[in-house]
Amino acid sequence: MTKPKPQVKSPCVNLCLLNEDDVCVGCYRTGKEITLWGGMNKSSQLAVMKKVRERESKSQFVSD
């Protein structure tokens, strides 16, 4: 029996709407990142999460 590979929790908040830059206003992933998420390895998912945090911090919807 094999152990399930560890995965990073998806940032999805079930508010799926891509803006003009192809970035979801709910989770801050691009359409491509959303599509590929389930097939990514943990390090790739962590790299996406870093980009998500950067996009979120630059968003007009997040206050400091």
Side-chain angles (χ1 to χ4, degrees):
M1 194 167 176
T2 60
K3 287 177 139 180
K5 67 179 184 174
Q7 294 291 308
V8 176
K9 185 176 184 287
S10 170
C12 181
V13 294
N14 294 316
L15 176 63
C16 305
L17 178 66
L18 298 176
N19 67 16
E20 63 277 354
D21 296 320
D22 193 43
V23 175
C24 178
V25 300
C27 70
Y28 298 97
R29 291 179 292 172
T30 65
K32 185 174 182 179
E33 290 166 346
I34 293 167
T35 301
L36 298 175
W37 183 263
M40 290 180 178
N41 62 31
K42 186 175 182 177
S43 64
S44 295
Q45 289 176 336
L46 289 172
V48 168
M49 289 304 295
K50 182 178 178 184
K51 292 177 188 176
V52 163
R53 287 188 295 278
E54 291 168 0
R55 291 178 192 132
E56 185 177 21
S57 71
K58 294 176 183 176
S59 169
Q60 63 184 357
F61 300 113
V62 178
S63 62
D64 292 328

